Amino acid sequence: ALVAGKAIDWLGTRIGYLFSIIFWSFAAVMHATAGSVATLGVWRGLLGVSESGNFPAAMKAVSEWFPKEERSLATSLFNSGPAVAMITGAPIVVFLTYALSWRMTFVIIGGIGFVLAALWPFIYRNPPVKMSDLEAASGDAKIRWRDLLKFRATWGILLGKMLTDPVWWFYLFWLPPYLNSQRGFDLKGIAIAGPIIYTIAIIMGNIGGWFPGFLIRRGWKAARARKTAIGLASICLPVTALAVTAENVWVAVLLVSLACGAHSIFSHNIFALITDQFPSNAVGSVTGMSTFAGSMAGVFISSLAVGYIVTYFGYVPIFILMGVLHPTAYIFVHFLIRKESVLE
């Protein structure tokens, strides 16, 4: 993500995202050639590397095309994609795998990527005037990684992502085994709960993306409007920790849905803060840095720490931890991001 973000800033959204799509599609198709676990692991790794260009390119496009009052909604709309994929993607993949084979499934999905790559230069055009540069009046400033780390806003965004991304990964990876082992859900029950959770997350996320724009159009400063949305979302998370003690399993599912929805609001707005704080030629780099920081924290907390704590202490401490990370992150975001732009 670090290198991808810098590359997107260097190449620009139109060309940078094109290379990312082609690289990802190639890696997906090559899964079909895997003849061993090691080879499959190589292609899985390359798939992840190529995917890292997605968010930097998307956020750079948002910063270039949309004014401040529209950016969080634009971010929430494109960022709903992963949740939509969680709802619709699994049944499609299962159908293709049974109808054809797992190898052909990768070929088809990768082939769709190549089609998108062919269409992308015709679909996307760079704006005649980059919106974020127009607002900042300093779009030609060259900003390096070490320069970015000198800004308080960079650290506010990095810490915000590091503390909150593990919550999403926890619910993504650990919720199915929790529902199965602790709540007695079979595959059918999990298949019903998943779409409910992600549908609510999509709805809440888009409402949370629209709300700051509503405030900005009424005279609020962008940073204040986004931090207000982030703060309101953070208040919800401690309540969701009660899911682990709820007697009714569907109450627990609804509380988890609230957690995922509130996280979506937080995530959409912290990404939008990047577009406000930095000129367009630094948006990809900061997005890549924050995505990398969130992913590393997710690997450590959601994969290593959660496994250890669940094994020796159960799920209660984990749900409590997931409930306090967002309010903690909000404190850093609020006090480290105090200006409308790092160029002020």
Side-chain angles (χ1 to χ4, degrees), residues 18 44 140 155 161 222 224 228 258 260 279 284-285 298 300 329 343:
L18 177 62
R44 295 300 293 169
D140 294 328
W155 288 102
K161 291 287 288 178
R224 181 188 174 200
T228 297
L258 176 63
C260 291
S285 295
F300 176 75
L343 300 174

Side-chain angles (χ1 to χ4, degrees), residues 27-52:
V29 170
M30 293 305 293
H31 277 64
T33 69
S36 66
V37 174
T39 307
L40 184 64
V42 169
W43 296 122
R44 295 300 293 169
L46 289 176
L47 194 72
V49 170
S50 58
E51 186 180 348
S52 64

